Amino acid sequence: MRTAPFCVPGGRRACWRVSSWHLSQVAPDGVGNYQSIYYDVNPRAPIDPITGATGVIYSTLYGTGTQNWGTRDGIYDKAGNFYEVVGAVANFFRREYRTTPAFPSTTALPLPSVVSAGQRSGTSLVDVVYRVEDADSATVQTGLLAFLNGGSALTQVIPMRTFVEGTAGNVGASQPSGTNLSAVWDMTADWAADFADIRVEVLANDGRNLRGIHWIEIPVDGALPAVEVSADPISDDQLVEAWFWMLATRPEINVQPDPRATAEARVFADSGIFANATLVEYAGPYYARYPRTTKAGRAMLYQAMGGRSVNRSEITRANLGNYNFGTVNELNITKGDTSPSAFLKSWGVDDYGELPWLPFNGGVPTRVVNTGSTSLYLVNDNRLWGLGWNGYGQLGTGDAVTQSLAIPIADNVVYMSLGASHAVYITADEKLWGLGRNNSGQLGVADTANQLSPVLIDTQVAQVAAGGDWTFYVKTDGTLYQATTAGPVSLTTGVAKAFISDRGDGFYITTGGELWGWGRNENQVLGAVGANKPFADRVLIDQDVADAAVGWDFLVYRKTGGSMWGLGENEYNQINPGSTANVTAPFQMEAADVVEVAAGYDHVVYRLTGNTVRSRGYNYAGQTGNGTYSNVTGSSVQVDSNVSTISAGGHDSHWVTFTTAP
């Protein structure tokens, strides 16, 4: 690596450094990554990192002049392991084969280098000359990055995108190897802030995958097909170099400062299916922060690598089988099914792993609910899935173990809802089931025992609403019931839908479109009618109402004509952008075209007739989905398009986005 500085006298950004860099950790055949294994006492006997045994390196096989290849028995072992010997380090390459391997012929790695780089005096233009040597590839794909102040981290990278004077064609795909290539970069077009010095890097790839991956086949199991899975989980460290490549070659991937932390940045997408998503963020204590690829980032990167994350079925099959590899979890990658028809996207706080970013192949989520700690989603095959906090067994696992990977809960489900610590759902035969916490009788079984497995609450049920420690449901004859420690209690008739907040404010819409409410009314969520309205003293809020959603202390609802209205707490302008005072009378938020509404604790998400999604309100964790952490206090912002359904709860939001128009 060259690090000679290039300086322009009197330049505002005076000192430059240039170096060569390429996608390392790729085996000569383009499919394997490696880890360095230092010799023990005998310099010809490296330690096998899997068995701990001391092996023997043979230098007579697959000689490449500078590297010596061999295996412990002179040909290969049963797992297909072999080594690369470089100086005092033996790089251990792990292969997994179900049949006898045939070693591929070695191929040359692309070797890029920066010939020169320097800023034109008095301008913002940087002249770069680089070349790539590749003994067996006539053309390569290239990309350029700049690193601030001698750094090498994602927090210090500047993607070089704006090339002028006709040099854009000298960076990218199909660049000739073995020749000098020129590029003129307009640095101020890509980076506005000042800096002391910069290092230019050139990246090159000759068609290999973004990462070398060792594959192992999970065989056919009944109706389940064979699938190839990476032999090991892919760590965050292993993905960093792939993100450098994505930043250098994918124009929609960018870096911006993270306002939640000092001197840190996040990697995000500004267009496409992953628009606004944080792909890489910094995690861990401040003395040991590291770049963590998010669920959205892994979904995007795995797709770019020609695969996807493994699912729970594949994890179980892999870990129960004897396929000569270690633990498989959600960090592994599998081949196949790389063109999902829809993505379940999520935004906000992910304390319990409740925020998925899942590709669906074939099945499409039709409904999503979440509380800010637990999430449920229903797929069009009527299977109910869940993930996140499971402290009272509300995910039906039979235990209280939090789930970071979605698990199936029940089949033949048509509707579901979530309380603070319990889940309820309706099956196709109109039966209402519940599981989880039951301290207030919210499971309707006439006691307060928590339930780790589903229990039957009632039959002939059409709709259910859960919130906090309450459950209300509507039977097919229009009767509204509450689940209590004494069992189901009938409240009123002529009801179409019910809603309940975590605070205990309840609402229902009659079959004639009247919206009624009762409860604490602490911040005028029922209007200017005084506090503590029991069900017997419920109040009429509005008419011609089609649907509603309840936040912590506020209400949003949609009228039959498509207008959207709000009432209650307005501290973060989630209802009225012109004031932070409580809204004590229905306030029109949108005049028309609203088809779906959702509410978190202090933010609002809604979908319009063209399937675009807009949001407003509190946004400290990015829950509005607009790619920032600043509150949306003015007009609502459009955050996505091509969306089929939405959800919000706590400081989270979810929606389903199609890769093609629904």
Side-chain angles (χ1 to χ4, degrees), residues 18 38 104 115 152 185 243 249 251 291 325 340 401 503 579 590 595:
V18 299
Y38 286 90
V115 178
S152 60
W185 177 45
W243 282 118
T249 59
F325 62 87
V401 178
R503 296 271 279 171
S579 169
E590 293 285 347
V595 296

Side-chain angles (χ1 to χ4, degrees), residues 45-183:
I47 298 173
D48 188 320
I50 295 179
T51 66
T54 299
V56 177
I57 296 297
Y58 291 82
S59 60
T60 58
L61 297 178
Y62 306 103
T64 63
T66 58
Q67 299 170 341
N68 297 308
W69 298 90
T71 55
R72 286 177 292 177
D73 61 3
I75 303 174
Y76 51 82
D77 63 15
K78 292 181 179 180
N81 299 326
F82 64 102
Y83 299 85
E84 171 194 25
V85 182
V86 181
V89 177
N91 295 320
F92 174 85
F93 289 77
R94 182 179 178 184
R95 289 288 193 282
E96 302 288 356
Y97 292 96
R98 294 181 58 78
T99 58
T100 301
F103 286 126
S105 60
T106 60
T107 57
L109 288 169
L111 300 175
S113 62
V114 177
V115 178
S116 64
Q119 180 182 349
R120 294 186 191 178
S121 181
T123 75
S124 63
L125 302 181
V126 178
D127 292 292
V128 179
V129 178
Y130 74 95
R131 64 187 291 125
V132 180
E133 302 292 346
D134 196 320
D136 54 11
S137 298
T139 62
V140 295
Q141 183 181 3
T142 63
L144 294 176
L145 294 176
F147 286 85
L148 295 173
N149 304 328
S152 60
L154 285 171
T155 56
Q156 297 167 299
V157 69
I158 306 173
M160 298 168 65
R161 302 275 170 75
T162 306
F163 298 102
V164 297
E165 298 184 2
T167 63
N170 291 343
V171 179
S174 302
Q175 299 303 317
S177 61
T179 185
N180 286 0
L181 298 167
S182 299

